[in-house]
Amino acid sequence: MSFESPRESSGSSRKRGRRPSAGPSSGRGANSRAESSRATGNLFGVSGRSSSSLSATRRAPFADFSSYMETKNQKLRGQFDADASASSYVSGDGDSCQSGSGGDRGIFCGVSIFVDGYTVPSHQELRMCMLKHGGRFENYFSRQTVTHIVCSQLAHSKMKNLRSFSRGLPVVKPAWIMDSVAANRLLNCAPYLLDQFTHATQKQQKLSAFFTPKISAQSGVNPFFEQIAEQITSIESIGCDSDQTLRLRKCDTTGREDSDGLDGQNLGDRSEAEDHSIGMKDESSIIQARQEFLPKSSSSREQHSTLGDPNFVENYFKNSRLHFIGTWRNRYQRIFVKNTSGASERKYVVNESASSKPIIIHVDMDSFFVSVVIRRFPELVDKPVAISHSDNSKGTAEISSANYPARQYGIKAGMFVREAKTLCPQLAIFPYDFNAYEEVADQFYTILHEYCPKIQAVSCDEAFLDATGVTDDPEGLASVIRKQIIDTTGCTASAGISVNMLMARLATRVAKPNGQFYIPSEKVEDYMKELPVDALPGIGYTLNEKLESHNIQTCSQLRQIPKEVLQKELGKKIGEMLWNYCRGIDHRMVREVQEMKSVGAEVNWGIRFRDLNDCHYFLKSLCKEVSLRLKGAGVRGRSVTIKVRKRKKGAAEPTKYLGCGECESMSKSVKIPSAIDDEETLTKIGKELFASCHVEPEDVRGIGLQLSKLESADIRHGNNVLKSWIASGLARNSEYLMKDGLVSNPVLHTGSECSPGNTGHACSLFRSAPSSANQVQMTSSETQFSSLPPVNELDIDVVKGLPPEIIAEMNEIYQGKLSVFISKHDDKLCQGKDGFLAMLNLVDKGKQAMHSDTTSYETSSHIYDKEDSSSHANVEANVQFQHSSPGNSMTRNVIDSSVPKATSSLDIDRSDLMPSSLSQVDAFMLHQLPEEVKIYLQEAIPAHRNMEASIDPSCSSINESFTTIEDLKLHLWIGKPPKWIRIFSNSRSLILRSISGTHACNGADGLLSSTLHSLSLSIPSLSSGEEECDEEILLIGSEFLRQYIELKVDTDIEELYICFCVLKRLKEFSVFFSRLYDNVLPSLQDAVCKNYGGLLQLSFAE
Amino acid sequence: MEKSVSPQEETGRILVEFLEVAVSSILFLRGVYHHGAFQRRRYMNIVVHKACHPQLNDYIHSAVFGLLPFIRKGLVDRVAVVFYDREQVPVEKFMFRLALNQSQSSMVEERDLEFSLRAFFIKLSVSEALTKPLPPGCDWEITAYFHALPDVADKEQRRWIPTDTKLWQHPPLITPIKSMGSNPLKLQLYLEHPDPGEPTHLHTL
């Protein structure tokens, strides 16, 4: 019975709770449930005291348990108060603590603790502390009365669910109370928070914990103070004098209490420290101490900023040197390049008499990042100084720049601070001062622009001057410039003077630090002879390794190797570069404006994500940054690349604090049809790209986002054209869907929407030649953007990587457009060359016409009207190429016949029409071309002289194959890849080309069935044009299939079966396949019958 | 077991084992016996069905393993599971066409072969749609087609007897189920159905 009763009481406590309870035992059981189980421990802990209250219960039964508890708690508080008043009078230090907090209340005034579980100073001791110092001690947990929960350790389940356990109250270690008593004031409980401790011991801090404000009931609580405290102790361990630490401690405390006023206070503090530092012996340690505080305080300010959520990316780039250098260029171009004409008075005179001998001066500031910072500390000029984010001597921050005295100790950029400190303990380390850098860089360039008109900015502290024709005394000019730089900026610069950029740069190497060196053209030879190879710019570690493996150490050794060998070994470009460089030849010109190739941002430090949400939040801010940069540079990009660094499997936490450690990097990119710079689109694409990397958020250690294929954001109507390209894709799809209409009515007029200012661009292309049926048609058809991304914006690679079921599902959603899209993509890959050649041909003609006359004119001419007598079908392409722009409209009708059946004479014409190099191509025009055409153009043009050679054989091989069809027998499937692929891809038949293309795309298994299957997805698009069904092609196709049957019949009728099932399906779409099927079926059945004694059952499905 | 086994023997063993399971699976698929007469087993890491009745099992086992010496010699062209109607006219044949590479010298990796063979079971389990419903009261047997009649010397081998199954008058219709063409073993499984114009068809009515 006794065993039964507690179970019963707890089991039916709800019912019983309403009734007055009879005995204490059942009362306790129900009570502990009502008050939540965590109070049970205390019931026993304070049993000595509660016995009286229990006896009270016995005497006077309560209405219910809440009233019982109320009475009980009241009584306990009464006892506590009585004890407190007694102890505070009795205790010796009672008065001191009262005076300490400025009232007659104790330091724990307003603090009410609840002790959970076992603690190292026991409950009783903690209670005594609270008694003595004006706090309260609660026996039972209640959200209303308790302010702090004290415990030494927590059960795992409570730990996991800390919030529901603590109800948002701070959970602190008992040491907080003891330390507060010792310090005789209420310390901030933040460093004593239990969860803080566990975080710290578990792992490195998370990104979110580092940069987002802690949501905590306590104000001003953040992990930063912990760090400060930590750093203070580290300074102590270095052996600073105690006075300094004390002072630091003080400002630390004040900073804690009043973080808003930190900035001003910090400044005052700084000047104070400066004053002291002059008189003190241990200067560097003072600076150290200050450095300790400076960057941290600023970050703490950011944490408390009210600018919305302080975001990591912003802070990161605010503190990034590379970012500074990167964005500096934009600034430079804005300020200097645009204003060169209106710049201040120039001190150079274009000296007509000066010889036109090339003179290039390379000016480079000496250890720029350091010298700018130490301008204000002249006493440090010949002391070792380095620049780094943090000056924790145990830290893993990297040295980003070191001055010459420091370099003598072997300190290099990229070294960890702790290594540097072991090499040179007295090394002074300063943080970046980006404002000062900007200021000095501006001054630097102002000076350069005064003396020289032609300047190529390499970096914020480095530039090439083209002084050709400016002066006859380059050395004099250089020294004047250098002197002025020192006078204005207080920093030294070195200069190298020579005949080209390479030699000037090499000369600077000799000149450094703070000097100048002139290599006249006659001495170039001698200088280069002795030069070690790795001194040449562009030779990195790997290249040097390679050269060394060939026993090449100096330039003179390198010279003995012929150019061809170099190019063969190291690649065309690098080989040529090396060959030139070791001879002191450099054809690069000093260019004032350097084209930007890509814009992006990358973060590889401090990346720790808990889940995908963190990730997406980060991506969003990264995209914002990139978007801002794009807008700042005034460009938009059409190719987005994401670079993800993923923690290498099994790699531990990196030694560098929050660094990326051992990583695998991967990158994915996507081309988008229209150039973008807005954050939203970028974020969308970024997320998609990230998802396609399949990286666990926990493993991400770095993310970079980059846009390339930049185009200027100014050209509004360029953008418009691109939009029309997007539209054209959709139109194309719908076109294929209503293919019958197209076949019956081959003349289709399309035109692009003109922008309001008549700056539009209309281009209409149409043709009936099936060979170009897949060419892009520009159209003005309204693009209906639904909530789904348009088919064209889907990443084809991603789509193709999806499982077939999902593709099918998506295809349904897109109403069949997706499969068309995929197949079209495949087609493009394979037949791009041929098709686009035709297209290109026409476009080029239009272009030529454009170039030939700039005024408004309208002309129409027939270029070719050619009938190939040998051809069975005369393919006619009627192309109308129209280009209209303000004040310049041009229409050109080109009637081009038999493009695919190009005879050699046509080839010559075509190549003659091609511009001889890319420079002759209108860049604007090039921009408007679709990507594939562009790539093709770029490939084709430089090599155009070889084009005849490359085209002719294929043409002749087709002709050959037509005439000697008998030769094809038994050969088509031989070889790897089989012979037919080449024949088909050179064929004039679109279908055959598609077959070979799809086959090539399908890759490894080489089964015709899978090829045909993919083809069946795209067949509606193939049959859109006029059906070509001439006997020759049919013959080839049949022969091709027959040989396949022969090949497979013995071993794999399954394959043949599938092939013919698919072919049967294709019959419905295409006359060609229909005839092909009918042609070959008898051969198949014959073969099967011969081998298996039966016929394939192909009508099964019906 | 250390005794060296020739690759042909090894491949033959695997093949025969496979055939045994495949025949059981076909029986299960065609529903000649009640489904309750089969139990689920695991073979090559996929679920297959094996007959519970010991005699049936024994028939399949002995029939197929009886083929082993012939298979090793490369005499067997096809192995068929033939379903007959009441008149002992075949209505459906599951044909295994096999070709063992006799000059195979290197040892077969059983796992590689398994991988390919497993595909047969997978395909088989979904090929019910290719078949036609069997007439009631049907019968079945295992038949082997030999390239040449073997000279039967061994007692063991005598369990296989020459047969003269009724043949269809017209060439049958073939529906391939699965083919594999690895180096040591080429195996194809296909269905044979009588031509619709087959006169015997009427008898089943």
Side-chain angles (χ1 to χ4, degrees):
Chain A
M1 186 60 205
S2 63
F3 184 70
E4 207 64 27
S5 72
R7 246 175 60 190
E8 196 190 332
S9 73
S10 65
S12 59
S13 67
R14 198 161 287 189
K15 270 186 247 161
R16 274 197 174 195
R18 306 255 173 252
R19 294 195 315 228
S21 68
S25 83
S26 71
R28 182 183 292 180
N31 162 44
S32 67
R33 269 185 74 82
E35 200 50 36
S36 97
S37 61
R38 56 184 80 95
T40 45
N42 284 288
L43 265 174
F44 299 103
V46 293
S47 60
R49 257 154 229 294
S50 58
S51 62
S52 59
S53 73
L54 284 178
S55 63
T57 352
R58 230 173 259 134
R59 270 182 276 127
F62 296 93
D64 55 21
F65 284 106
S66 59
S67 66
Y68 162 75
M69 279 311 294
E70 213 173 284
T71 321
K72 181 174 180 180
N73 279 325
Q74 229 165 31
K75 191 153 190 172
L76 284 169
R77 262 171 231 140
Q79 289 172 351
F80 186 84
D81 286 344
D83 285 354
S85 52
S87 67
S88 61
Y89 287 124
V90 171
S91 77
D93 52 11
D95 47 347
S96 70
C97 71
Q98 276 161 16
S99 61
S101 54
D104 53 353
R105 292 173 292 175
I107 53 169
F108 289 124
C109 178
V111 174
S112 174
I113 63 163
F114 166 76
V115 182
D116 185 277
Y118 174 81
T119 50
V120 165
S122 69
H123 284 73
Q124 293 304 322
E125 286 171 81
L126 288 175
R127 186 168 174 271
M128 285 309 287
C129 282
M130 298 313 281
L131 275 176
K132 281 184 190 165
H133 301 285
R136 299 211 68 88
F137 184 92
E138 290 291 321
N139 290 298
Y140 296 99
F141 181 82
S142 151
R143 183 67 183 81
Q144 279 77 42
T145 51
V146 173
T147 60
H148 290 76
I149 298 169
V150 179
C151 58
S152 295
Q153 58 216 8
L154 276 177
H156 184 60
S157 59
K158 285 179 182 172
M159 209 67 197
K160 276 205 302 199
N161 229 336
L162 195 69
R163 277 199 69 79
S164 75
F165 159 71
S166 67
R167 315 268 182 96
L169 294 175
V171 181
V172 295
K173 292 206 154 195
W176 171 60
I177 292 170
M178 306 321 283
D179 288 357
S180 293
V181 171
N184 201 16
R185 62 186 176 82
L186 189 63
L187 295 175
N188 193 314
C189 64
Y192 299 98
L193 283 179
L194 196 70
D195 57 339
Q196 288 292 323
F197 270 80
T198 49
H199 270 297
T201 51
Q202 261 174 0
K203 253 182 185 178
Q204 288 192 348
Q205 253 171 17
K206 295 272 168 34
L207 178 63
S208 52
F210 206 71
F211 283 101
T212 54
K214 260 255 144 18
I215 303 146
S216 165
Q218 295 294 301
S219 62
V221 176
N222 60 52
F224 147 68
F225 291 113
E226 253 186 288
Q227 290 173 0
I228 285 252
E230 209 174 89
Q231 278 155 6
I232 288 168
T233 48
S234 77
I235 290 171
E236 277 172 336
S237 69
I238 290 168
C240 258
D241 92 32
S242 61
D243 190 27
Q244 284 172 30
T245 33
L246 228 157
R247 211 154 44 78
L248 250 178
R249 235 189 225 282
K250 219 162 75 192
C251 69
D252 172 19
T253 327
T254 45
R256 205 179 282 158
E257 278 158 9
D258 181 18
S259 43
D260 285 343
L262 199 62
D263 207 13
Q265 194 185 336
N266 168 31
L267 271 172
D269 220 82
R270 193 169 120 182
S271 54
E272 194 190 333
E274 257 165 46
D275 290 345
H276 277 262
S277 69
I278 294 162
M280 278 203 172
K281 276 183 190 169
D282 196 355
E283 284 167 22
S284 60
S285 71
I286 270 266
I287 290 157
Q288 242 173 37
R290 201 178 64 245
Q291 294 311 323
E292 208 63 68
F293 193 62
L294 267 175
K296 295 296 177 187
S297 63
S298 74
S299 79
S300 98
R301 196 190 56 214
E302 275 152 20
Q303 272 167 4
H304 289 276
S305 79
T306 48
L307 296 167
D309 43 17
N311 93 46
F312 172 73
V313 176
E314 245 169 61
N315 291 334
Y316 180 86
F317 287 113
K318 235 178 246 170
N319 294 313
S320 162
R321 176 181 66 115
L322 292 174
H323 172 64
F324 170 74
I325 295 172
T327 48
W328 167 85
R329 183 181 296 282
N330 289 337
R331 183 187 150 76
Y332 167 76
Q333 291 196 344
R334 258 202 328 272
I335 296 176
F336 290 101
V337 176
K338 285 184 186 159
N339 295 345
T340 38
S341 54
S344 56
E345 82 284 16
R346 299 214 171 88
K347 295 183 182 166
Y348 63 81
V349 199
V350 178
N351 192 345
E352 295 298 331
S353 65
S355 65
S356 58
K357 224 167 56 181
I359 297 168
I360 309 290
I361 306 176
H362 178 237
V363 186
D364 191 4
M365 307 277 283
D366 299 325
S367 54
F368 178 72
F369 284 89
V370 178
S371 44
V372 169
V373 171
I374 60 173
R375 291 183 294 171
R376 283 172 292 139
F377 307 98
E379 71 277 5
L380 286 176
V381 166
D382 39 10
K383 300 230 170 64
V385 181
I387 300 290
S388 175
H389 277 295
S390 147
D391 183 27
N392 190 340
S393 58
K394 288 178 203 150
T396 50
E398 276 155 22
I399 303 268
S400 79
S401 181
N403 66 355
Y404 283 90
R407 286 183 207 187
Q408 280 170 6
Y409 286 91
I411 290 164
K412 285 182 211 148
M415 196 177 248
F416 284 173
V417 170
R418 59 173 174 207
E419 288 167 33
K421 284 273 188 180
T422 36
L423 286 173
C424 171
Q426 70 270 31
L427 178 74
I429 291 177
F430 281 84
Y432 295 104
D433 183 356
F434 291 114
N435 292 334
Y437 296 145
E438 209 165 87
E439 185 196 326
V440 174
D442 284 353
Q443 288 171 345
F444 172 64
Y445 275 99
T446 315
I447 295 163
L448 296 185
H449 277 280
E450 275 171 20
Y451 287 98
C452 186
K454 216 172 165 190
I455 292 168
Q456 178 178 341
V458 179
S459 172
C460 54
D461 62 337
E462 186 182 352
F464 284 104
L465 315 184
D466 187 350
T468 310
V470 173
T471 175
D472 265 336
D473 177 22
E475 283 180 278
L477 180 67
S479 55
V480 171
I481 291 174
R482 281 183 50 237
K483 178 149 191 323
Q484 187 157 0
I485 289 173
I486 294 169
D487 291 346
T488 319
T489 66
C491 304
T492 59
S494 307
I497 311 144
S498 191
V499 289
N500 58 32
M501 285 166 80
L502 169 75
M503 294 312 297
R505 169 168 254 161
L506 290 172
T508 315
R509 266 170 42 95
V510 183
K512 278 194 163 235
N514 195 13
Q516 64 182 63
F517 188 65
Y518 180 39
I519 308 180
S521 52
E522 56 272 16
K523 283 190 188 159
V524 168
E525 283 282 304
D526 297 338
Y527 182 79
M528 290 309 287
K529 232 180 239 168
E530 302 305 317
L531 200 72
V533 187
D534 56 347
L536 293 174
I539 299 199
Y541 179 77
T542 348
L543 202 51
N544 195 27
E545 286 278 279
K546 266 190 202 163
L547 291 175
E548 228 157 65
S549 70
H550 289 90
N551 268 329
I552 298 166
Q553 268 138 17
T554 65
C555 283
S556 55
Q557 285 169 318
L558 188 59
R559 277 192 208 183
Q560 278 149 28
I561 297 167
K563 194 186 209 166
E564 289 70 31
V565 176
L566 278 178
Q567 288 187 332
K568 209 174 129 200
E569 288 274 310
L570 306 163
K572 206 168 170 195
K573 264 192 178 164
I574 295 173
E576 174 150 6
M577 182 195 83
L578 275 185
W579 192 85
N580 283 334
Y581 276 15
C582 66
R583 285 163 178 76
I585 302 168
D586 185 5
H587 296 301
R588 288 175 303 168
M589 299 297 290
V590 172
R591 278 178 305 169
E592 288 166 71
V593 185
Q594 270 177 314
E595 221 175 285
M596 239 180 297
K597 286 198 176 124
S598 67
V599 173
E602 185 168 358
V603 181
N604 289 330
W605 182 84
I607 302 283
R608 295 292 184 279
F609 300 132
R610 268 168 314 191
D611 51 30
L612 205 61
N613 283 343
D614 285 2
C615 235
H616 282 172
Y617 180 75
F618 175 80
L619 272 174
K620 196 167 175 291
S621 28
L622 189 69
C623 290
K624 190 177 163 196
E625 175 70 33
V626 174
S627 166
L628 285 174
R629 289 186 190 186
L630 283 167
K631 283 172 182 160
V635 290
R636 294 167 183 210
R638 275 194 305 111
S639 172
V640 185
T641 307
I642 199 169
K643 213 170 114 189
V644 178
R645 274 166 176 264
K646 177 187 155 195
R647 185 173 65 101
K648 218 171 207 169
K649 222 175 173 184
E653 273 301 330
T655 40
K656 181 170 168 59
Y657 180 68
L658 281 180
C660 56
E662 262 188 279
C663 279
E664 295 167 30
S665 29
M666 54 182 89
S667 66
K668 297 251 169 186
S669 72
V670 64
K671 279 180 196 143
I672 39 181
S674 72
I676 55 161
D677 63 355
D678 64 313
E679 185 190 337
E680 255 169 62
T681 326
L682 205 55
T683 311
K684 207 186 92 215
I685 296 170
K687 281 179 187 172
E688 279 165 17
L689 279 173
F690 180 78
S692 70
C693 289
H694 303 294
V695 180
E696 290 294 312
E698 292 86 2
D699 289 342
V700 177
R701 288 293 177 267
I703 297 184
L705 196 79
Q706 192 187 57
L707 270 95
S708 46
K709 302 203 182 299
L710 301 179
E711 50 193 56
S712 170
D714 298 337
I715 308 170
R716 284 231 63 85
H717 92 243
N719 190 30
N720 222 3
V721 169
L722 281 156
K723 267 194 190 133
S724 77
W725 278 112
I726 305 175
S728 77
L730 275 188
R732 228 183 313 157
N733 289 339
S734 48
E735 216 172 89
Y736 291 133
L737 290 175
M738 36 176 228
K739 56 181 190 305
D740 294 329
L742 185 69
V743 172
S744 62
N745 181 17
V747 180
L748 188 81
H749 244 297
T750 53
S752 86
E753 206 175 9
C754 292
S755 68
N758 192 25
T759 55
H761 170 93
C763 178
S764 132
L765 268 167
F766 78 89
R767 70 255 120 201
S768 52
S771 67
S772 43
N774 264 23
Q775 294 315 314
V776 184
Q777 296 226 354
M778 284 200 164
T779 174
S780 67
S781 71
E782 291 298 318
T783 317
Q784 306 274 325
F785 287 103
S786 58
S787 56
L788 283 167
V791 178
N792 326 53
E793 283 186 16
L794 297 176
D795 185 348
I796 186 72
D797 295 325
V798 173
V799 173
K800 282 176 98 181
L802 290 171
E805 304 89 65
I806 293 177
I807 296 183
E809 200 178 307
M810 281 171 77
N811 195 22
E812 256 170 54
I813 297 170
Y814 280 109
Q815 293 160 350
K817 286 178 192 168
L818 186 68
S819 64
V820 178
F821 178 60
I822 294 172
S823 60
K824 211 154 45 202
H825 174 81
D826 290 346
D827 290 348
K828 261 185 210 158
L829 282 180
C830 59
Q831 54 153 332
K833 291 246 160 164
D834 287 59
F836 285 123
L837 188 66
M839 164 92 176
L840 184 75
N841 192 12
L842 306 165
V843 170
D844 254 352
K845 283 168 196 161
K847 210 182 289 168
Q848 291 273 321
M850 270 279 285
H851 282 295
S852 61
D853 199 340
T854 51
T855 57
S856 167
Y857 84 130
E858 191 155 346
T859 177
S860 172
S861 72
H862 295 257
I863 291 187
Y864 298 112
D865 199 347
K866 207 173 179 79
E867 181 92 43
D868 192 342
S869 56
S870 70
S871 69
H872 292 266
N874 185 7
V875 189
E876 189 174 276
N878 186 352
V879 176
Q880 198 179 50
F881 187 86
Q882 187 179 34
H883 184 100
S884 62
S885 54
N888 182 358
S889 96
M890 185 269 297
T891 311
R892 191 143 188 125
N893 267 324
V894 181
I895 299 194
D896 188 2
S897 71
S898 61
V899 169
K901 287 211 157 197
T903 57
S904 55
S905 69
L906 187 57
D907 282 340
I908 292 161
D909 287 336
R910 190 187 298 163
S911 56
D912 280 348
L913 275 166
M914 292 283 272
S916 61
S917 81
L918 265 177
S919 61
Q920 288 181 19
V921 177
D922 185 353
F924 178 58
M925 196 70 188
L926 200 64
H927 255 311
Q928 294 170 2
L929 292 172
E931 199 49 47
E932 291 87 347
V933 179
K934 222 193 267 184
I935 289 167
Y936 178 71
L937 263 177
Q938 279 158 2
E939 278 172 10
I941 290 177
H944 96 275
R945 288 293 164 215
N946 300 331
M947 251 174 59
E948 282 162 57
S950 67
I951 288 168
D952 278 342
S954 62
C955 286
S956 61
S957 81
I958 296 170
N959 291 335
E960 201 181 326
S961 68
F962 288 158
T963 50
T964 60
I965 199 124
E966 292 302 306
D967 293 349
L968 290 174
K969 288 206 166 161
L970 298 170
H971 296 304
L972 282 175
W973 283 92
I974 294 170
K976 205 171 172 81
K979 207 172 160 189
W980 63 269
I981 289 198
R982 201 180 62 81
I983 294 170
F984 275 29
S985 56
N986 289 327
S987 158
R988 74 191 151 96
S989 157
L990 174 66
I991 290 174
L992 294 190
R993 284 205 305 272
S994 323
I995 293 174
S996 72
T998 318
H999 192 83
C1001 295
N1002 272 339
D1005 66 352
L1007 290 180
L1008 189 62
S1009 61
S1010 52
T1011 304
L1012 288 175
H1013 195 79
S1014 332
L1015 201 67
S1016 70
L1017 292 172
S1018 64
I1019 200 68
S1021 67
L1022 286 175
S1023 54
S1024 63
E1026 222 166 69
E1027 195 60 65
E1028 42 169 338
C1029 203
D1030 71 70
E1031 297 300 322
E1032 221 168 69
I1033 290 170
L1034 202 62
L1035 212 60
I1036 298 177
S1038 309
E1039 190 54 42
F1040 156 73
L1041 277 179
R1042 275 193 202 106
Q1043 291 184 18
Y1044 193 60
I1045 293 167
E1046 269 171 51
L1047 188 77
K1048 289 286 180 188
V1049 73
D1050 191 40
T1051 55
D1052 201 347
I1053 44 167
E1054 187 199 3
E1055 162 70 11
L1056 293 178
Y1057 178 69
I1058 298 170
C1059 280
F1060 276 81
C1061 284
V1062 177
L1063 274 179
K1064 202 171 166 190
R1065 217 181 310 157
L1066 291 175
K1067 267 178 84 168
E1068 294 171 32
F1069 295 104
S1070 142
V1071 187
F1072 171 76
F1073 280 113
S1074 172
R1075 293 188 58 185
L1076 186 68
Y1077 180 84
D1078 294 341
N1079 264 7
V1080 188
L1081 189 63
S1083 333
L1084 172 75
Q1085 296 294 26
D1086 275 357
V1088 172
C1089 203
K1090 216 169 10 179
N1091 280 267
Y1092 297 86
L1095 300 171
L1096 271 188
Q1097 182 164 21
L1098 286 157
S1099 57
F1100 198 86
E1102 282 126 46
Chain B
M1 278 322 282
E2 289 306 302
K3 192 189 78 164
S4 66
V5 193
S6 81
Q8 280 78 30
E9 274 175 56
E10 180 65 11
T11 317
R13 189 190 59 75
I14 295 170
L15 175 65
V16 165
E17 207 176 87
F18 161 81
L19 281 176
E20 185 186 348
V21 182
V23 170
S24 296
S25 297
I26 289 169
L27 293 182
F28 176 80
L29 176 83
R30 297 307 288 121
V32 191
Y33 304 103
H34 189 262
H35 277 193
F38 292 88
Q39 61 193 69
R40 283 155 60 90
R41 289 288 183 89
R42 188 173 279 268
Y43 177 67
M44 288 177 179
N45 212 18
I46 52 168
V47 170
V48 293
H49 289 86
K50 186 181 192 228
C52 298
H53 200 285
Q55 273 185 314
L56 178 57
N57 270 337
D58 189 50
Y59 167 67
I60 298 171
H61 179 83
S62 57
V64 173
F65 272 78
L67 278 177
L68 187 54
F70 305 117
I71 288 176
R72 281 181 182 154
K73 283 183 207 150
L75 285 171
V76 182
D77 177 37
R78 282 169 286 176
V79 177
V81 178
V82 189
F83 292 93
Y84 301 95
D85 63 3
R86 276 202 198 95
E87 268 86 76
Q88 293 297 304
V89 177
V91 288
E92 190 170 74
K93 293 179 183 171
F94 281 83
M95 308 289 280
F96 293 94
R97 191 180 141 114
L98 36 105
L100 221 65
N101 188 349
Q102 293 299 315
S103 55
Q104 173 74 16
S105 54
S106 64
M107 208 57 184
V108 192
E109 204 43 68
E110 188 169 350
R111 196 175 300 164
D112 294 344
L113 211 52
E114 254 186 30
F115 183 81
S116 309
L117 291 175
R118 190 183 303 152
F120 281 81
F121 289 116
I122 294 167
K123 194 71 191 287
L124 200 58
S125 65
V126 293
S127 36
E128 201 180 351
L130 299 174
T131 61
K132 288 174 182 152
L134 288 175
C138 64
D139 199 0
W140 70 278
E141 71 175 22
I142 300 173
T143 311
Y145 295 76
F146 284 64
H147 290 296
L149 269 184
D151 39 304
V152 187
D154 199 340
K155 195 177 139 203
E156 267 297 297
Q157 291 169 8
R158 245 177 258 164
R159 298 178 81 170
W160 276 87
I161 50 155
T163 175
D164 48 347
T165 314
K166 280 187 198 169
L167 294 174
W168 288 311
Q169 293 168 11
H170 294 278
L173 292 178
I174 290 171
T175 313
I177 294 178
K178 189 74 205 165
S179 299
M180 82 174 233
S182 69
N183 191 22
L185 174 67
K186 290 183 174 58
L187 185 65
Q188 297 198 71
L189 173 59
Y190 58 91
L191 267 173
E192 279 186 7
H193 286 111
D195 191 274
E198 195 71 28
T200 51
H201 209 63
L202 301 167
H203 288 257
T204 56
L205 289 173

